[in-house]
């Protein structure tokens, strides 16, 4: 009792007494064998007690309910690893006959897994015959809605709800996108020959050219619009970005031209014709994986397994899967990928998917880069003489000049951690670098990369980087060398070997040091400037692009994910350009072939979606006054505005009196006119105001409408007989004219301060003569509520609308009167004929219809209730408000906090509107969605 009391006592003496008593009873030495033998019975009893279960439940039933899975009862591998052995013993206790079966099953499973991997590998190549997979395809397929576009299988949008999260990532942290599907064409030759021919497909009027000094040195990436040779401003090819390789000892220069895959065929065809390149004698054919006999057997197995679930490919039963797919989905992998000019010696090479490209968007994208990537360590000895791993890097490390360059590049790369946003760097800055394997720097769990401002707060080198950018020599990268890229791709350490090395670490989870076996990967970092035009949100959406050799896609992708980035797809890229208010490829390029093809496909899909709905549950666009709800008739719009200008002879204000003018329009332009009439509603019997199309002779009656044609085949209004204004000088002049110069909405920058000329007839009439049929890219912000949609109409407000707005600030906008459906009776007649044919088949067989009836039936077969089925009338004067243009993209903007839209307007119509509007109402327009009669006021701007 005293001993126990002394041990438990809180006082000083109690503890001291307890220790003394224990020390007195403790023996000085013991014999181990005798001590263990005496307590063997106790140890056996303890082990027996531990082995026995205290309950009758099975192992998987002892788990918490949130960890239980139904498959655990029959699949042991679904259990946690610490419980799998106990569960296996329980299973053998109830069914001892499974001992032999389990070993046999294990061997069979191993064989199936081995064959399964091979079969999956072969199937992946079979699936890629029509749509190429990116290296990150399987990662995306588990988390994204996948779409097949431009010969690729791409991630469209995440399956989880992440619309606002992606916007927050672009605004506050980092959004990651895989742009490896973009096509890269490499031009190699003498600088003078390249610049001489390339000058024919671009123009100084639109901005940068290939001859720009800062881009020609290799320090910066440039962007421009290409046209067919000597055809500017017509025959647009599309937008591209380009990078020159910095000059070296070689006389030849290398140029990369990056473009969207929808533009590649037209671009390649034009470049081959420009440089007079011919097909090579030898065509590269990739090597197959296995021998033809083995391949034939495996193909038979694959086809036999997939007959029930997958249709047989018409082309591919005899095709041989290949190990390396060169090029993209727009070209056959067995075709040539290099063309040479016999006259100038210029070589055009297709390096699509040979160079991968990732885009990091957001103010902390540089922090993600600096935490993920580390500069490669210098090596002077080859790790293994049998392999070629890092042979090129060891040779370069022996050169003192290249070692010095690598150290300078590494120092600049570390300085990026001290900047607050990528937009602070000069636009298009290029930095070359050689980095180590990013897989060895993986954190234990996902963390958000954050900048360290204290480290470089008062560093003069950071300020110098802001002002001067990256030096020319630091823009050099070994990624330009094809042999080095091939070496890096082929000698990559596999994931299996890397995991095996991690398993052999003494301390699990510690840093894995590969030493001389660590790969050195050449990369190229390209800064993306973000939003540069306009006054609000400068630099928003800036970031970095990283170019790396093929085969290293997932090795860089996963480390980026572990730094807390959010991944976006095609829809996020669309929103990124929408918030920057820049045209998106190919959606917003209606004057190039890719843009017209996109518009046709969009019209087809929207029309099919419209037809799937019952007539009572879809909008009647004829009554709503919407002539073309699924496609923008740009050619018809510019043609009608040109006709109005020629007919009027001069710009006249709509409200000025003239005896021959229409009451709603106010000018004597030729073409159909709109007239408001009243008629009783067939449903309610109430009198409703409707619009009726009238011509110079009178009312256009339903019986006079002939020559109907299929809606899907009506593409004559989409011909490229118009141009899009991309002249920087002209766009700056138009942007200045759109500013209000008086009133409360007056901008600080007046027209005189901008250095632009006042809007007079002597100024804008020469513009109209130079661009009779032209479109202008504009952005619109709604003044009050409203959400603009695709193909919404941009219209000119009348004097009464502007007067009503100045009196009532809460005035949302006028309403369009309902139009009369002149095709409704034809649709009803066609419906009745179909009913008669259905119920009177015998009568029709005995008494066949006459020839005129057959012609009438064929004529009305293509009519669709609610759509304008005839050739389009004058689109500008079809409604009560004059049509100015169309919206190509519109939605509620999280950045602006209101509805915003992007689209095109007619240049002639824009000048007409600005010339006639009062000074305090300059740039005010009306927006109306295709399925609504409500107009809403919006502010029109042109950002340059």
């Amino acid at each position: 009792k005293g001993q126990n009391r002394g041990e438990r006592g809180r006082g000083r003496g109690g503890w001291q007494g307890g220790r003394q008593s224990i020390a007195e009873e403790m023996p000085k030495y013991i014999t181990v064998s005798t001590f263990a033998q005496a307590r063997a019975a106790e140890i056996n009893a303890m082990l027996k007690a531990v082995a026995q279960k205290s309950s009758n439940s099975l192992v998987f039933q002892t788990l918490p309910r949130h960890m239980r899975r139904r498959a655990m009862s029959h699949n042991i591998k679904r259990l946690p690893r610490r419980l799998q052995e106990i569960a296996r013993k329980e299973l053998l206790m109830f069914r001892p006959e499974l001992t032999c079966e389990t070993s046999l099953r294990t061997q069979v499973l191993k064989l199936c897994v081995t064959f399964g991997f091979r079969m999956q590998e072969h199937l992946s190549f079979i699936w890629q015959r029509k749509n190429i997979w990116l290296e990150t395809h399987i990662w995306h397929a588990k988390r994204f809605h996948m779409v097949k576009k431009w010969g690729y299988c791409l991630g469209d949008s995440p399956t989880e709800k992440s619309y606002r999260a992606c916007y927050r990532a672009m605004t506050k942290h980092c959004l990651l996108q895989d742009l490896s599907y973009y096509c890269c064409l490499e031009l190699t030759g003498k600088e003078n020959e390249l610049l001489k021919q390339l000058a024919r497909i671009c123009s100084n009027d639109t901005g940068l050219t290939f001859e720009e000094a800062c881009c020609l040195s290799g320090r910066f990436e440039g962007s421009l619009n290409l046209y067919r040779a000597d055809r500017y401003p017509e025959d647009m090819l599309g937008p591209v970005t380009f990078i020159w390789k910095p000059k070296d000892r070689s006389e030849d220069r290398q140029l990369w031209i990056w473009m969207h895959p929808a533009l590649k065929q037209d671009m390649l065809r034009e470049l081959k014709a420009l440089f007079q390149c011919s097909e090579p004698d030898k065509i590269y054919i990739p090597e197959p994986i296995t021998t033809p006999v083995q391949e034939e057997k495996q193909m038979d197995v694959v086809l036999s397994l997939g007959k029930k679930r997958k249709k047989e490919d018409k082309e591919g039963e005899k095709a041989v899967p290949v190990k390396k797919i060169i090029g993209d989905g727009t070209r056959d992998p067995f075709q040539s990928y290099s063309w040479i000019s016999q006259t100038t010696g210029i070589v055009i090479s297709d390096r699509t998917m040979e160079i991968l490209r990732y885009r990091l968007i957001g103010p902390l994208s540089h922090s993600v880069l600096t935490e993920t990537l580390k500069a490669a360590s210098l090596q002077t000895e080859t790790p293994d003489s049998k392999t070629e791993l890092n042979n090129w890097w060891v040779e370069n490390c022996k050169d003192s000049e290249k070692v010095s360059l690598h150290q300078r590049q590494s120092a600049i790369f570390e300085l990026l951690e001290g900047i607050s946003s990528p937009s602070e760097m000069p636009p298009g800055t290029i930095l070359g670098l050689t980095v180590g394997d990013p897989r060895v720097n993986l954190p234990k769990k996902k963390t958000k990369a954050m900048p360290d401002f204290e480290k470089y707060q008062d560093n003069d080198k950071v300020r110098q980087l802001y002002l001067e950018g990256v030096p020319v020599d630091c823009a050099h990268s070994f990624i330009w060398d094809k042999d080095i890229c091939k070496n890096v791709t082929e000698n990559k350490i596999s994931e299996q070997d890397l995991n095996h090395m991690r398993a052999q670490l003494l301390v699990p989870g510690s840093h894995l040091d590969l030493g001389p076996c660590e790969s050195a990967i050449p990369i190229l970092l390209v800064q993306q400037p973000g939003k540069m035009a306009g006054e609000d949100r400068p630099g928003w959406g800036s970031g970095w692009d990283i170019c790396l050799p093929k085969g290293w896609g997932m090795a860089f992708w996963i480390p980026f994910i572990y730094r807390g980035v959010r991944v976006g797809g095609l829809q996020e890229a669309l929103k990124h350009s929408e918030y920057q208010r820049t045209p998106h490829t190919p959606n917003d390029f209606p004057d190039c072939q890719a843009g017209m093809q996109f518009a046709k496909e969009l019209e087809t899909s929207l029309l099919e979606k419209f037809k799937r709905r019952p007539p009572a549950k879809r909008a009647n666009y004829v009554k709503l006054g919407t002539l073309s709800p699924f496609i923008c008739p740009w050619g018809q719009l510019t043609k009608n505005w040109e006709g109005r200008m020629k007919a009027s002879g001069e710009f006249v204000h709509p409200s000025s009196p003239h005896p021959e003018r229409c009451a709603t329009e106010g000018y004597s332009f030729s073409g159909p006119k709109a007239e408001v009439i009243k008629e009783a509603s067939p449903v309610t019997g109430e009198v409703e105001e409707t619009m009726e199309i009238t011509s110079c002779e009178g009312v256009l009656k339903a019986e006079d409408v002939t020559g109907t044609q299929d809606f899907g085949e009506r593409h004559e209004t989409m011909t490229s007989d118009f141009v899009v204004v991309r002249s920087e000088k002209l766009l700056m002049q138009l942007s200045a004219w759109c500013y209000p110069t008086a009133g409360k909405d007056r901008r600080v920058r007046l027209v005189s301060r901008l250095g632009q000329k006042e809007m007079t007839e002597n100024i804008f009439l020469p513009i109209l003569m130079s661009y009779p049929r032209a479109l202008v890219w504009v952005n619109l912000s709604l003044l009050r509520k409203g959400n603009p949609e695709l193909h919404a109409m941009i219209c000119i407000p009348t004097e009464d609308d502007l007067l009503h707005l100045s009196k009532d600030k809460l005035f949302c906008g006028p309403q369009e009167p309902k139009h009369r459906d002149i095709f409704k009776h034809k649709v009803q007649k066609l419906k009745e004929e179909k009913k008669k044919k259905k119920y009177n088949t015998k009568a029709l067989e005995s008494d066949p219809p006459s020839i005129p009836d057959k012609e009438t039936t064929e004529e009305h077969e293509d009519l669709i209730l609610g759509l304008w089925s005839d050739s389009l009338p004058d689109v500008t004067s079809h409604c009560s408000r004059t049509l100015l243009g169309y919206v190509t993209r519109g939605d509620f903007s999280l950045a602006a906090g209101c509805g915003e839209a992007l689209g095109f307007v007619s240049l002639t119509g824009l000048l007409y509107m600005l010339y006639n509007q009062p000074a305090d109402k300059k740039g005010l327009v009306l927006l109306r969605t295709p399925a609504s009669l409500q107009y809403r006021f919006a502010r029109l701007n042109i950002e340059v």
Side-chain angles (χ1 to χ4, degrees):
K1 291 182 180 178
Q3 178 181 351
N4 293 338
R5 199 178 297 118
E7 289 177 0
R8 295 174 186 171
R10 295 174 184 262
R12 190 173 178 182
W15 284 106
Q16 194 173 11
R19 290 188 186 124
Q20 287 178 357
S21 60
I22 292 172
E24 291 175 358
E25 296 177 1
M26 187 70 68
K28 293 183 179 180
Y29 62 89
I30 60 171
T31 305
V32 178
S33 59
T34 308
F35 184 80
Q37 187 178 3
R39 282 154 184 80
E42 297 177 10
I43 295 172
N44 290 331
M46 184 181 65
L47 291 175
K48 186 177 180 181
V50 172
Q52 288 180 351
K53 291 194 306 178
S54 59
S55 63
N56 296 326
S57 60
L58 297 175
V59 174
F60 78 92
Q61 293 174 335
T62 61
L63 288 170
R65 292 189 179 274
H66 72 279
M67 292 181 65
R68 297 182 190 179
R69 298 293 182 269
R70 183 182 299 173
M72 289 178 178
S73 59
H74 58 83
N75 190 353
I76 294 173
K77 292 187 177 180
R78 291 288 184 181
L79 283 163
R81 287 186 177 180
R82 61 185 178 84
L83 300 176
Q84 287 182 9
E85 189 63 31
I86 303 174
R88 193 174 288 107
K89 291 178 180 179
E90 286 183 352
L91 185 62
L92 294 176
M93 188 185 303
F94 292 105
R95 297 186 63 185
E97 70 275 5
L98 291 178
T99 309
C100 299
E101 294 181 9
T102 307
S103 59
L104 180 62
R105 187 185 304 167
T106 305
Q107 295 177 7
V108 172
L109 282 174
K110 288 182 179 179
L111 290 173
C112 290
V113 167
T114 305
F115 177 73
F117 281 126
R118 289 183 180 178
M119 186 174 68
Q120 183 181 5
E121 189 179 21
H122 289 296
L123 282 174
S124 66
F125 290 117
I126 293 172
W127 294 330
Q128 293 188 64
R129 285 196 192 116
K130 293 182 180 178
N131 298 284
I132 302 300
W133 289 2
L134 305 183
E135 291 190 13
T136 58
H137 171 83
I138 294 179
W139 190 95
H140 278 91
K142 295 177 180 179
R143 300 164 179 86
F144 275 69
H145 298 289
M146 306 301 288
V147 294
K148 296 176 181 178
K149 282 188 173 182
W150 312 302
Y152 295 91
C153 198
L154 304 174
D156 189 48
S157 60
T159 53
E160 62 178 356
K161 293 182 179 179
S162 58
Y163 179 81
R164 288 177 178 268
C166 289
Y167 169 74
R168 285 195 299 269
M170 287 187 282
T171 307
K172 298 180 180 180
H173 193 250
C174 182
L175 182 82
L176 176 64
Q177 291 177 329
D178 189 354
L179 299 185
S180 302
Y181 62 92
Y182 265 61
C183 302
C184 177
L185 297 180
E186 182 182 89
L187 275 64
T188 307
K190 294 182 179 180
E191 182 180 315
N192 295 335
E193 293 292 338
L194 288 171
L195 292 176
K196 179 182 178 182
Q197 297 299 331
L198 290 173
R200 298 175 57 193
I201 58 176
C202 57
S203 174
N204 292 323
D205 197 25
T206 60
L208 294 177
T209 62
F210 291 101
E211 299 179 4
E212 194 70 27
C214 59
C215 299
L216 190 60
S217 63
R219 289 182 61 196
F220 299 98
E221 180 190 48
S223 60
L224 48 79
N225 296 307
L226 297 186
Y227 297 82
R228 297 200 184 276
D230 307 322
R231 293 287 297 165
Y232 172 81
E234 300 175 355
D235 292 342
M236 169 76 169
L237 289 175
V240 298
T241 59
F242 64 94
I243 302 174
W244 284 96
K245 180 185 176 181
K247 292 183 179 180
D248 51 15
R249 298 174 183 176
S250 176
E251 295 181 358
D252 291 343
R253 296 293 305 272
Q254 284 178 258
L255 171 67
W256 282 353
I257 302 178
W258 290 85
M259 67 204 70
H260 193 275
L263 312 172
K264 179 191 169 184
Q265 290 299 331
D266 293 335
M267 295 275 189
L268 184 58
R269 195 180 301 112
E270 186 66 22
L271 289 174
K272 285 162 65 176
L274 190 66
F275 293 104
Q276 300 176 0
C277 292
S278 58
E279 299 290 338
D281 297 333
K282 296 181 180 180
I283 297 178
Y284 173 79
I285 299 178
E287 299 176 358
I289 298 174
T290 57
T291 60
V293 178
Q294 294 174 343
E295 191 65 44
E296 189 176 352
K297 291 180 181 179
Q298 292 172 358
M299 285 291 293
D300 293 339
V301 175
V302 170
L303 291 175
S304 63
L305 288 174
K307 276 184 179 178
K308 293 184 179 179
R309 296 191 57 173
K310 188 177 180 69
K311 294 181 179 179
E312 291 184 0
D313 194 355
K314 295 179 181 179
E315 306 172 357
E317 291 186 2
K318 297 181 181 179
V320 180
V322 294
K323 185 176 182 180
K324 299 173 186 176
I325 298 178
I326 308 299
D328 62 305
T330 60
R331 175 175 59 82
D332 186 353
F334 293 99
Q335 288 183 0
S336 58
Y337 66 103
S338 181
W339 301 267
I340 187 170
S341 173
Q342 302 296 336
T343 56
T344 59
I346 291 174
V347 180
I348 302 176
S349 302
D350 185 4
R351 298 201 68 181
T352 304
M353 291 191 71
E354 294 288 321
I355 305 296
L356 308 182
R357 186 160 186 164
Y358 294 160
R359 176 162 293 175
L360 291 92
I361 303 169
L364 298 184
S365 55
H366 58 282
S367 300
V368 174
L369 284 173
T370 52
E371 284 195 18
T372 306
L373 308 178
K374 303 298 179 185
S377 56
L378 299 176
Q379 298 178 13
T380 56
E381 294 182 0
T382 308
D384 189 1
S385 58
K386 296 181 181 179
T387 63
E388 297 181 359
L389 177 64
N390 292 344
N391 280 354
W392 67 275
W393 181 237
V394 172
E395 292 177 2
N396 284 290
C397 288
K398 294 178 181 178
D399 189 344
S400 59
E401 293 183 2
K402 294 181 179 179
V403 170
S404 175
L405 175 62
H406 176 68
Q407 292 173 347
R408 291 199 304 273
Q409 290 175 335
S410 304
I412 292 176
F413 180 69
E414 291 177 359
L415 288 176
L416 294 180
E417 194 176 355
I419 66 176
S420 58
S421 174
S423 60
E424 296 179 355
M425 297 287 292
T429 299
I430 296 175
L431 174 63
L433 193 64
T434 303
V435 298
D437 196 331
R439 295 174 292 178
V440 301
N441 299 323
L442 277 178
K444 293 182 180 180
K445 60 180 182 179
K446 285 186 180 180
T447 57
K448 268 199 172 183
M450 300 301 291
D452 188 4
F453 296 113
E454 297 179 358
K455 191 174 181 181
Y456 300 101
Q457 191 171 4
D458 297 325
N459 199 329
D460 294 335
K461 294 182 180 179
V462 177
R463 296 197 191 100
Q464 186 178 1
L465 189 63
Y466 290 159
L467 300 175
E468 300 178 5
V470 178
V472 180
D473 55 345
C474 292
H476 178 270
S477 175
F478 292 106
I479 198 172
W480 290 93
D481 194 329
K482 296 180 182 179
D483 295 332
I484 291 178
C485 289
K486 183 180 179 182
N487 183 295
V488 170
T489 300
E490 293 178 351
N491 293 285
K492 173 191 170 186
I493 301 175
S494 66
E495 291 287 340
Q496 183 180 3
D497 296 340
L498 206 62
N499 292 332
H500 183 66
M501 295 177 189
R502 287 195 183 106
Q504 292 179 344
L505 289 172
L506 294 177
V507 181
S510 60
H511 177 71
L512 176 63
D513 187 8
L514 297 177
C517 294
E518 183 177 0
S519 300
I521 307 104
I523 64 171
L524 201 65
L525 298 175
V526 184
Q527 190 261 5
Q528 297 298 317
K531 190 176 186 296
M532 299 180 66
E535 299 174 355
D536 57 331
R537 307 194 308 275
W540 186 93
S542 60
W544 290 89
D545 282 10
I546 175 172
C547 301
L548 52 132
K550 69 175 181 180
W552 285 87
M554 289 303 296
F556 280 75
W557 187 264
I558 297 300
F560 285 144
I561 301 297
Y562 268 74
R563 264 65 184 193
V565 303
R566 185 167 284 273
V567 180
L570 296 177
Q571 293 302 319
E572 284 67 36
L574 191 67
K575 286 297 174 184
H576 178 239
S577 63
E578 184 176 323
Y579 288 150
Q580 288 189 104
R581 297 171 185 162
T582 55
H584 189 73
T585 311
N587 310 26
D588 301 322
F589 289 87
D591 55 338
C592 73
Q593 292 296 324
M596 288 187 280
Q597 182 64 29
F598 174 83
K600 289 180 183 179
E601 294 173 358
L602 180 63
E603 180 195 19
T604 304
S605 62
L606 293 177
L607 181 59
E608 291 299 324
K609 184 179 179 181
F610 180 82
K611 288 180 179 179
R612 284 197 297 267
R613 305 192 69 181
K617 302 297 181 184
R618 63 193 186 198
N620 189 326
Y621 291 110
V622 179
K623 286 188 175 182
L624 294 170
T626 306
L627 291 173
S628 182
F630 306 137
I631 193 171
C632 300
W634 303 117
Q636 181 84 359
L637 177 70
T638 54
K639 182 180 179 181
N640 291 152
W641 270 108
E642 184 188 22
R644 293 168 72 101
M645 184 188 69
K646 290 180 180 178
S648 63
E650 59 179 356
F651 281 171
V652 189
H653 198 276
S655 62
S656 58
H658 197 282
E660 298 178 359
R661 288 181 190 139
C662 177
T664 58
E665 293 294 339
Y667 36 73
S668 61
F669 289 126
S670 61
K673 304 170 187 176
E675 182 181 351
V676 181
I677 63 172
K678 293 184 178 182
E679 65 176 10
S681 172
V683 181
T684 61
E686 298 178 357
V687 177
E688 298 179 352
E689 287 189 350
T690 61
M691 293 290 298
E692 191 170 82
I693 307 302
T694 60
S695 61
C696 296
E697 288 87 10
V699 179
L700 180 65
K701 297 183 179 180
E703 289 80 1
D704 299 333
V705 179
T706 57
T708 58
Q709 60 188 82
D710 183 65
F711 185 83
E713 296 178 356
R714 176 163 39 85
H715 293 299
E716 70 275 2
T717 59
M718 218 183 66
T719 54
S720 58
D721 54 350
F722 59 90
V723 297
V724 176
V725 176
R726 295 187 176 90
S727 170
E728 285 191 348
K729 185 177 179 181
L730 178 55
L731 289 175
M732 289 181 66
Q733 180 68 76
L734 294 174
S735 177
W737 287 342
C738 290
Y739 290 144
T741 55
K744 294 182 180 180
D745 295 332
R746 177 172 57 93
R747 299 292 180 94
V748 177
R749 298 192 312 168
L750 300 177
V751 175
S752 58
R753 295 183 185 178
L754 286 171
Q756 304 296 337
K757 300 176 182 178
E758 294 291 340
M759 191 174 187
T760 59
E761 291 188 6
N762 296 332
I763 301 300
F764 64 75
L765 284 180
I767 297 175
L768 293 178
M769 297 302 173
S770 303
Y771 297 95
R773 296 185 183 183
L775 299 174
V776 182
W777 174 258
V778 297
N779 67 278
L780 306 107
S781 301
L782 291 174
L783 298 186
R784 299 200 176 277
K785 66 178 183 179
N787 192 19
E789 297 176 1
L790 179 67
H791 300 154
M793 290 162 281
I794 307 171
C795 302
I796 302 176
T798 60
E799 265 193 352
D800 294 338
D801 298 336
L802 298 176
L803 184 63
H804 195 171
L805 179 64
S806 56
K807 290 181 180 179
D808 184 10
K809 297 298 180 182
L810 299 179
F811 178 54
C812 293
Q815 278 200 341
E816 174 74 14
K818 283 187 179 179
H819 292 235
R820 186 167 66 88
D821 190 354
I822 60 177
F823 302 102
K824 187 175 182 179
H825 78 286
K826 291 188 177 183
V827 177
Q828 291 176 348
K829 187 177 180 181
L830 180 62
K831 194 174 181 181
E832 292 174 359
E833 289 177 359
K834 287 182 178 179
K835 284 184 179 179
K836 289 179 182 179
K837 186 180 283 188
K838 182 178 180 181
Y839 293 111
N840 301 323
T841 52
K842 293 182 180 180
L844 289 173
E845 287 177 0
S846 59
D847 186 17
S850 58
I851 296 174
D853 292 339
K854 283 185 177 181
E855 291 177 355
T856 307
T857 305
E858 292 175 359
E859 179 185 346
H860 294 168
E861 272 182 357
D862 298 329
L863 288 174
I864 302 173
L865 183 64
L867 296 179
W868 189 276
S869 302
D870 199 2
S871 57
L872 294 182
D874 188 349
V875 295
T876 59
S877 59
H878 181 70
C879 299
S880 61
R881 303 302 186 274
T882 307
L883 184 67
L884 188 63
Y886 291 96
V887 169
T888 58
R889 280 184 290 155
D891 199 358
F892 183 84
S893 173
L894 296 175
C898 64
E900 283 195 345
L902 301 170
F904 292 93
V905 297
S906 169
L907 174 61
T908 308
L910 179 64
L911 293 176
Y912 168 81
M913 181 190 75
L914 296 174
Y915 182 71
N916 292 314
Q917 279 185 334
D920 59 335
K921 302 296 182 184
K922 294 282 186 184
L924 280 182
V925 295
L926 292 172
L927 276 181
R928 182 164 73 92
T929 56
S932 173
L933 294 172
Q934 179 68 48
Y935 289 97
R936 298 197 181 276
F937 282 101
R939 173 75 62 188
L940 182 145
N941 289 317
I942 299 174
E943 294 185 346
V944 186

